[in-house]
C-alpha cells in the first residue's frame, strides 16, 4: 500500500500562538489536497481542503497554503488552543481519482 | 456530514484466527474504503469497496488475507484472515461522498493479535 511509514514528527506550541504544519507531496498528478485531524482513539476528521487551481484557502482559524511548484502544502492554525492537540495528516487525490493517499502526520502539542 | 460506525471497536485475537470488522454509514455511498494504521504511523489504503463489484486491493494486500464484502450502499465488512501479530493495527473504514468529494472516517477498530 501507499503511505509514508515514518514515526510522527512533533510540533509543540504555546497556547495562543499560531501553528504551521508542513507537508510535502510526491504525485504531480494530485489536484486535490486535504488536511485531517486525528485525536487519540478516533478516526481522522476533515479540517479543510484545497484544489490545485488555488494557492490559499481559509476556514475558521485554519488556512491551507499550496505551492505546486515545490509540491508543498501547509496548514496554519491561528490562536492555537489545547483542543487543537492531535495528529494532523495531509492527504492527496489525483485528477479523476478517488483514492486518498495520506502523507506522514505531525503530532501537535499545545502547551497551556 | 456522515456518521460512520464500526464494530467491534477493539478486539484481542489469537494467532491463526480471523476477525470480521463491520462498517455502517448513515447514508448511501458508492465508494467505501478500508485503511490500516499501525501505531504511530500514517494511514495505508488496503482496498476500495464499491457496491456490486469486487473490491480493488492496493499493492501488498490480497483478497485471501483481507476479504471484503459490500452488500449494499451503507455497509461493508473487512475480514482479517489467519491473523498473526503483524496484523495488530487499527483498521479504519471510510466513505467518499459525491458532490462534496468529502471523505469521512469511522472511529477505527483496534486489533491486537497474540
Amino acid at each position: 500500500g501507499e503511505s509514508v511509514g515514518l514515526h510522527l514528527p512533533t510540533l509543540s506550541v504555546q497556547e495562543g500562538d499560531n501553528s504551521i504544519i508542513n507537508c510535502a507531496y510526491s504525485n504531480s498528478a494530485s489536484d486535490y489536497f486535504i488536511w485531517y485531524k486525528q485525536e487519540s482513539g478516533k478516526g481522522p476528521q476533515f479540517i479543510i481542503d484545497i484544489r490545485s487551481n488555488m494557492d490559499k484557502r481559509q476556514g475558521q482559524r485554519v488556512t491551507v497554503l499550496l505551492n505546486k511548484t515545490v509540491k508543498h502544502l501547509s496548514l496554519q492554525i491561528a490562536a492555537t488552543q489545547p483542543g487543537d492537540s492531535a495528529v494532523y495528516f495531509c492527504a492527496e487525490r489525483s485528477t479523476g481519482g478517488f483514492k486518498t493517499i495520506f502523507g506522514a502526520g505531525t503530532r501537535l502539542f499545545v502547551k497551556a | 456530514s456522515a456518521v460512520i460506525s464500526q464494530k467491534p471497536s477493539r478486539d484481542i485475537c489469537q494467532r491463526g484466527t480471523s476477525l470480521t470488522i463491520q462498517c455502517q454509514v448513515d447514508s448511501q455511498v458508492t465508494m467505501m474504503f478500508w485503511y490500516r494504521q499501525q501505531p504511530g504511523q500514517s494511514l495505508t489504503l488496503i482496498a476500495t469497496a464499491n457496491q456490486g463489484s469486487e473490491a480493488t486491493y492496493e499493492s501488498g494486500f490480497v483478497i485471501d488475507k483481507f476479504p471484503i464484502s459490500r452488500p449494499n450502499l451503507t455497509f461493508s465488512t473487512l475480514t482479517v484472515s489467519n491473523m498473526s501479530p503483524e496484523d495488530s493495527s487499527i483498521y479504519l473504514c471510510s466513505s467518499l461522498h459525491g458532490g462534496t468529494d468529502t471523505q469521512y472516517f469511522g472511529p477505527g477498530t483496534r486489533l491486537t493479535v497474540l
Side-chain angles (χ1 to χ4, degrees), chain B residues 41-100:
Chain B
Q41 296 196 16
S42 186
L43 281 73
T44 301
L45 181 63
I46 298 172
T48 301
N50 292 339
Q51 195 268 337
S53 63
E54 293 288 324
T56 302
Y57 289 83
E58 297 300 302
S59 175
F61 298 97
V62 294
I63 188 171
D64 289 347
K65 176 67 176 176
F66 297 101
I68 288 170
S69 79
R70 183 75 204 277
N72 58 52
L73 291 173
T74 63
F75 188 79
S76 178
T77 67
L78 170 76
T79 298
V80 186
S81 303
N82 188 25
M83 289 184 285
S84 66
E86 292 70 34
D87 295 320
S88 297
S89 191
I90 297 171
Y91 292 86
L92 292 145
C93 171
S94 175
S95 63
L96 182 61
H97 296 249
T100 64

Side-chain angles (χ1 to χ4, degrees), chain A residues 1 3 38 51 99-100 103, chain B residues 35 37 42 44 58-59 101 103:
Chain A
S3 74
Q38 187 176 28
R51 296 198 178 274
K99 294 192 300 183
T100 302
Chain B
Y35 284 82
Q37 185 176 28
S42 186
T44 301
E58 297 300 302
S59 175
D101 282 336
Q103 188 168 350

Side-chain angles (χ1 to χ4, degrees), chain B residues 15-35:
Chain B
R15 180 195 300 261
T17 63
S18 297
L19 176 72
T20 295
I21 302 168
Q22 299 179 8
C23 176
Q24 180 76 52
V25 187
D26 69 345
S27 58
Q28 294 185 336
V29 292
T30 302
M31 307 195 98
M32 294 180 73
F33 307 88
W34 287 97
Y35 284 82

Side-chain angles (χ1 to χ4, degrees), chain A residues 14-28:
Chain A
Q14 197 69 39
E15 181 180 1
D17 287 352
N18 296 335
S19 304
I20 300 176
I21 301 171
N22 296 302
C23 175
Y25 65 94
S26 57
N27 187 356
S28 301

